[in-house]
């Protein structure tokens, strides 16, 4: 017997050091800031939108954390295409932010207001950014432009010190179509002379406004001026600001050359989940003409570490079915955890699952999370709630959490162990004759007499071919074992010796116990045993045909729940609300009953196996009616009748027409009933069977409801509204417009002329090519699912109550059955419609928009820490390069000549148009 003592933290620290050096197993990559990453060539009809500068590892490595306020001009002059360009630009800008950044978005005209429910800077995580992106689409242009209102709002946001924020680079991004006001007084009051806030201005749309004020704002505040005349300029111009933010980092030299570790993300090449250690790459040359030091960041280099490689360095099977290793970063996001299982392979979306979302949150786990983020080590034994593997049950368990920081990284490693997994069995079968003897019981020719054996699909040897088909996997395993021995260097001796030992022990169980029992006498379909070593033996052999449990015991819900609970765990086959049942004559339904095998060796408790039976539902339903009756003579046959000398008020057999007698498990699922029409509903949530009675049990505190959210689910995309893509109306000038000189020189006339001139020149103006972008392909998207589970409360063990239904109330009696997970309920049948109730929710559903309420969650943000270093200022920074703008101002005479030409061409085509209509 070996030990994994949680009291000895040195072992965990040693493991942390091993994981800390895991980066040498990754592959190297780098990318310049002005070039796209190397990816395979696409087909000609595909637009490759992959840009390495928008990858999580590049964003986090190219600049320090950011506090950003985006302000958007929504005055009346911003309409149509310009407003659409602004909305798209804001969404693209949000995509340049990582979880280390904080952001808010506001619109302004005469006044400024936030576009969403966020009244302060919030973490730029995927859920907050989604709220921003949805609300930005609701912006409407009206009113007049007041830059002062927008900038005052932005500076007030950045000066708010009562909230969690990045406290590093501070910046304001303003999107507008142009204006004359420079709001110098605002900058003097808020930002000068220190200029701690950078201002970036974006001139959006095609217009002839003077852009000098916008350029001045950026240059006077260490920022940059950009132009976005069309949709094609959005992506490049909404990410170039990173070069400006990188200047202090470049000028810091060697101080900035520190490895930064990223959050978990999906690899773009399909290599799975990754973390990356990054280093920025600088241009350290000097400008020959001015002898100034270059301040351009050339790119980012990094080393990928696949999470699967890290997992190989951590123990697995010697921790038991319910023990596990986990790791989190400074944001509290997990990079190792058995519940980290993103369902969508979409490299554009980061994988950000908080530790408190991966597990059921409580105060103890909040404190553990905080300690890990702070880089401390520690240990705590707590009582907590966990979900079952199938996510339908809740169990209250005891766990020992031990944690320590991982050397040279921002991560912290933790270990969670139940008390029965502190020690584990390590087999050492030195006797080769015994090895061969036990191995023979794995051969299929022994199954008929010794029961069918399922072998856990583990990597026992390097050359073993894995397979999802257990029969095929067993054949591969046997074929390999004929060539190598369990002590071979290419095999995992711990796994093989335990597997062979458990094979022999379970075979002895068959010989000494199971074969001597007549299963039909007890109405059993099967007996079984599953072990930590990876063996599941089902007897008799024919019962394996209907065995639906996972061959890996550690992945079987019944196995893990049996270890965490005392007594017998009943598990009916799960049926959702749409299940309508099958003919019982042709299909036997089985109910699994299991319990853990508990050993005590020298005062040390172990649970190395789970044993159980599979009940025949129809036979046990009949037995249940007898057991729930007043009959005392077990051998009595025939119809049981009530007479004046017999008490039958609560007799489930004699009064089966008037009484409902059921067994419900601790998740609220029907296990057995005295009503035949309930038999096909066994395994359903009981509210689907009798909503009124289940509501009464819940309202009387027999059950507690637990709601949580699954942030890793996949949903089909929701239908998008086409209202935002409606064709713009054609503007037809009136006679007053022709006589108005202002109209002739306006941007509207110039734009109209350009469009019509192109329409006359090119016959394909209204035609589009069949070209799609990679990011526009129809695919499933990540979504949030709401889960609801029920579990037994500790309030009531037995209870009698009346369900008030007006003129036809129902009496019920409920009692928990000792040493099981069952609740026995006897109730009157409902006699009228007044007793109908709304069904309690249990099925997993897609969360409603804004559920969970992000607007409330951001007011109580979870504890986190940003990177330890910040580069946002350097006294030698050269801010003279701040963008140059150009505004096209057409000559009045040229405009007039072109408009007359346009009028002539239009009139000359008129007879032809009329003729074509005849």
């Amino acid at each position: 017997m070996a030990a994994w003592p949680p009291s000895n933290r040195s072992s965990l620290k040693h493991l942390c050091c091993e994981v800390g050096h895991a980066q040498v197993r990754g592959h190297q990559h780098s990318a310049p800031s002005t070039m796209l990453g190397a990816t395979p060539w696409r087909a000609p009809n595909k637009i490759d939108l992959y840009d390495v500068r928008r990858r999580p590892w590049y964003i986090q490595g190219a600049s320090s954390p950011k506090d950003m306020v985006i302000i958007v001009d929504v005055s009346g002059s911003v309409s149509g295409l310009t407003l659409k360009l602004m909305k798209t630009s804001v969404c693209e800008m949000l995509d340049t932010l990582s979880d280390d950044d904080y952001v808010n978005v506001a619109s302004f005209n005469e006044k400024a207001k936030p576009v969403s429910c966020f009244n302060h800077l919030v973490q730029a995580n995927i859920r907050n950014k989604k709220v921003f992106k949805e609300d930005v689409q609701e912006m409407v242009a009206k009113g007049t432009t007041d830059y002062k209102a927008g900038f005052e709002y932005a500076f007030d946001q950045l000066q708010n010190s009562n909230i969690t924020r990045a406290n590093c680079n501070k910046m304001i991004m303003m999107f507008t179509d142009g204006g004359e006001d420079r709001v110098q007084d605002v900058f003097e009051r808020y930002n000068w002379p220190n200029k701690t806030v950078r201002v970036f201005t974006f001139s959006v749309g095609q217009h002839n406004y003077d852009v000098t004020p916008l350029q001045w704002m950026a240059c006077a505040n260490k920022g940059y001026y950009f132009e976005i005349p069309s949709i094609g300029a959005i992506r490049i111009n909404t990410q170039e600001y990173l070069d400006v933010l990188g200047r202090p980092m470049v000028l810091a030299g060697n101080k900035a050359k520190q490895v930064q570790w990223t959050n978990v993300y999906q690899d773009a090449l399909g290599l799975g989940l990754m973390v990356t250690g990054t280093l920025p790459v600088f241009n350290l040359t000097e400008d020959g003409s001015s002898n100034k030091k270059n301040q351009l960041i050339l790119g980012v280099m990094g080393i990928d570490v696949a999470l699967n490689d890290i997992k190989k360095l951590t123990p697995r099977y010697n921790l038991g079915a319910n023990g596990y290793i986990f790791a989190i970063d400074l944001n509290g996001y997990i990079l190792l955890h058995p519940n980290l299982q993103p369902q969508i392979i979409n490299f554009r979306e980061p994988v950000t699952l908080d530790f408190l979302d991966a597990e059921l949150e409580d105060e103890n786990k909040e404190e553990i999370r905080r300690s890990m983020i702070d880089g401390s080590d520690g240990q705590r034994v707590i009582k907590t709630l966990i979900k079952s593997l199938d996510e339908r049950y809740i169990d209250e368990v005891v766990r020992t959490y031990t944690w320590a920081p991982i050397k040279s990284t921002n991560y912290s490693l933790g270990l969670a162990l139940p008390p029965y997994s502190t020690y584990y069995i390590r087999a050492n079968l030195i006797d080769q004759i015994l090895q061969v003897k036990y191995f023979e019981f794995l051969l299929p020719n022994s199954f008929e007499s010794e029961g069918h054996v399922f072998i856990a699909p583990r990597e026992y040897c390097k050359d073993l071919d894995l397979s999802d088909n257990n029969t095929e996997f067993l054949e591969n395993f046997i074929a390999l074992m004929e060539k190598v021995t369990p002590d071979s260097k290419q095999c995992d001796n711990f796994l093989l010796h335990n597997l062979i030992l458990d094979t022999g022990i379970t075979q002895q169980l068959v010989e000494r116990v199971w074969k001597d029992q007549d299963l039909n006498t007890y109405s059993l379909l099967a007996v079984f045993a599953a072990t930590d070593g990876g063996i599941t033996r089902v007897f008799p052999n024919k019962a394996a045909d209907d065995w639906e449990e996972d061959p890996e015991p550690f992945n079987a819900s019944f196995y893990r729940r049996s270890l965490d609970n005392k007594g017998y765990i009943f598990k009916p086959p799960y049926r959702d609300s749409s299940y309508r049942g099958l003919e019982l004559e042709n299909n036997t339904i089985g109910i699994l009953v299991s319990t853990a095998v508990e050993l005590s060796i020298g005062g040390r408790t172990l649970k190395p196996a789970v044993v159980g039976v599979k009940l025949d539902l129809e036979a046990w339903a009949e037995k249940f009616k007898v057991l729930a009756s007043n009959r005392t003579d077990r051998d009595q046959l025939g119809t049981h009748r009530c007479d004046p000398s017999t008490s039958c008020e609560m007799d489930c057999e004699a009064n089966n027409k008037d009484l409902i007698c059921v067994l419900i498990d601790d998740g609220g699922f029907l296990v057995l009933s005295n009503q035949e029409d309930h038999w096909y509903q066994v395994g359903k949530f009981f509210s689907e069977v009798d909503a009124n009675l289940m509501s009464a049990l819940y309202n009387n505190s027999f059950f507690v409801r637990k709601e949580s959210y699954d942030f890793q689910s996949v949903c089909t995309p929701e239908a998008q509204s086409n209202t935002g893509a409606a064709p713009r109306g054609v503007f037809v000038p009136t006679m007053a417009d022709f006589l108005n000189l202002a109209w002739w020189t306006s941007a509207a006339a110039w734009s109209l002329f350009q469009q019509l001139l192109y329409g006359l020149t090119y016959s394909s103006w209204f035609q589009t090519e069949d070209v799609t972008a990679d990011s526009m392909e129809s695919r499933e998207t990540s979504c949030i699912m709401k889960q609801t589970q029920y579990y037994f409360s500790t309030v009531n063990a037995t209870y009698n109550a009346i369900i008030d239904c007006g003129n036809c109330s129902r009496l019920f009696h409920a009692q928990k059955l000792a040493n099981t997970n069952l609740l026995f309920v006897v109730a009157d049948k409902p006699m009228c419609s007044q007793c109908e109730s709304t069904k309690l929710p249990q099925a997993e559903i897609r969360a409603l928009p804004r559920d969970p309420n992000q607007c409330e969650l951001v007011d109580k943000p979870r504890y986190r820490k940003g990177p330890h270093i910040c580069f946002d200022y350097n006294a030698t920074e050269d801010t003279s390069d701040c963008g140059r703008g150009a505004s096209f101002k057409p000559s009045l005479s040229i405009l007039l000549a072109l408009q007359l030409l346009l009028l002539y061409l239009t009139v000359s085509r008129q007879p032809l148009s009329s003729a074509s209509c005849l």
Side-chain angles (χ1 to χ4, degrees), residues 404-473:
I406 300 178
K407 185 179 178 181
S408 303
T409 72
N410 296 330
Y411 306 133
S412 183
L413 192 69
L415 169 66
L417 278 180
Y420 51 81
S421 293
T422 303
Y423 299 90
Y424 60 93
I425 295 175
R426 186 180 188 92
N428 186 16
L429 296 177
I430 303 176
D431 189 343
Q432 294 187 354
I433 297 177
L434 191 61
Q435 288 182 12
V436 174
K437 177 182 177 181
Y438 284 173
F439 178 77
E440 290 178 351
F441 297 126
L442 283 176
L443 301 178
N445 58 18
S446 68
F447 289 175
E448 193 61 39
S449 61
E450 311 297 332
H452 193 98
V453 175
F454 295 94
I455 178 175
R458 301 174 182 176
E459 193 173 347
Y460 299 99
C461 298
K462 294 180 180 179
D463 294 337
L464 178 60
D465 294 329
L466 300 178
S467 173
D468 293 332
N469 184 298
N470 199 258
T471 301
E472 182 180 345
F473 178 73

Side-chain angles (χ1 to χ4, degrees), residues 415-650:
L415 169 66
L417 278 180
Y420 51 81
S421 293
T422 303
Y423 299 90
Y424 60 93
I425 295 175
R426 186 180 188 92
N428 186 16
L429 296 177
I430 303 176
D431 189 343
Q432 294 187 354
I433 297 177
L434 191 61
Q435 288 182 12
V436 174
K437 177 182 177 181
Y438 284 173
F439 178 77
E440 290 178 351
F441 297 126
L442 283 176
L443 301 178
N445 58 18
S446 68
F447 289 175
E448 193 61 39
S449 61
E450 311 297 332
H452 193 98
V453 175
F454 295 94
I455 178 175
R458 301 174 182 176
E459 193 173 347
Y460 299 99
C461 298
K462 294 180 180 179
D463 294 337
L464 178 60
D465 294 329
L466 300 178
S467 173
D468 293 332
N469 184 298
N470 199 258
T471 301
E472 182 180 345
F473 178 73
L474 180 59
E475 291 175 353
N476 296 340
F477 177 79
I478 293 173
L480 182 63
M481 288 296 98
E482 292 174 349
K483 302 176 182 177
V484 300
T485 67
D487 298 314
S488 172
K489 292 183 179 180
Q490 65 165 302
C491 298
D492 188 319
N493 306 136
F494 166 73
L495 291 182
L496 275 178
H497 278 258
N498 280 29
L499 178 78
I500 295 174
L501 175 64
D502 288 354
T503 302
I505 292 176
T506 56
Q507 187 275 335
Q508 293 177 26
L509 184 62
V510 176
E511 289 292 332
R512 298 179 182 181
V513 182
W514 293 351
K515 282 186 177 181
D516 296 335
Q517 304 297 326
D518 183 5
L519 301 187
N520 293 328
T521 302
Y522 301 98
S523 301
L524 301 180
L525 299 176
V527 290
F528 63 89
T531 72
D532 277 357
I535 291 295
T536 300
R537 187 180 293 273
V538 180
F539 183 85
N541 184 43
K542 64 179 181 179
D545 297 337
D546 300 321
W547 187 257
E548 298 178 350
E549 305 301 322
D550 198 301
E552 169 57 79
F554 286 13
N555 293 339
S557 181
F558 82 89
Y559 190 86
R560 295 173 65 163
R561 292 204 71 212
S562 297
L563 296 176
D564 273 331
N565 291 275
K566 294 182 178 180
Y568 298 96
I569 301 300
F570 285 71
K571 178 180 177 290
Y574 174 69
R575 312 296 188 194
D576 59 26
S577 58
S578 62
Y579 181 75
R580 291 295 175 262
L582 301 170
E583 293 297 331
L584 294 181
E585 292 81 4
N586 301 323
N587 297 274
T588 303
I589 298 177
I591 298 174
L592 226 59
V593 185
S594 58
T595 187
V597 176
E598 185 170 320
L599 302 179
S600 182
I601 304 175
R604 301 166 180 174
T605 301
L606 298 89
K607 293 184 179 181
V610 169
V611 295
V613 299
K614 194 172 186 180
L615 306 180
D616 184 333
L617 169 63
E618 187 173 2
W620 272 89
E622 293 295 336
K623 291 178 180 290
F624 170 65
K625 287 194 293 184
V626 174
L627 294 172
S629 71
N630 292 328
R631 185 188 306 181
T632 57
D633 185 2
R634 296 180 58 184
D635 299 325
Q636 181 180 350
L637 299 175
T639 304
H640 180 55
R641 299 184 182 275
C642 294
D643 55 57
S645 63
T646 307
S647 176
C648 295
E649 289 82 0
M650 301 295 287

Side-chain angles (χ1 to χ4, degrees), residues 41 146 180 194 203 332 394 535 578 629 724 734 743 792 836-837:
W41 288 102
D146 185 356
E180 299 297 329
N194 296 327
S203 175
I394 298 288
I535 291 295
S578 62
S629 71
T734 64
W743 181 85
F792 284 157
E836 294 180 358
S837 299

Side-chain angles (χ1 to χ4, degrees), residues 26 39 81 132 171 270 371 375 377 445-446 480 512 534 541 558 573 589 622 636 645 665 670 805 811 851:
T39 56
L81 180 59
F132 281 128
M171 66 203 69
S371 178
D377 57 29
N445 58 18
S446 68
L480 182 63
R512 298 179 182 181
N541 184 43
F558 82 89
I589 298 177
E622 293 295 336
Q636 181 180 350
S645 63
D665 70 13
L670 179 63
C805 301
L811 174 67
D851 185 22

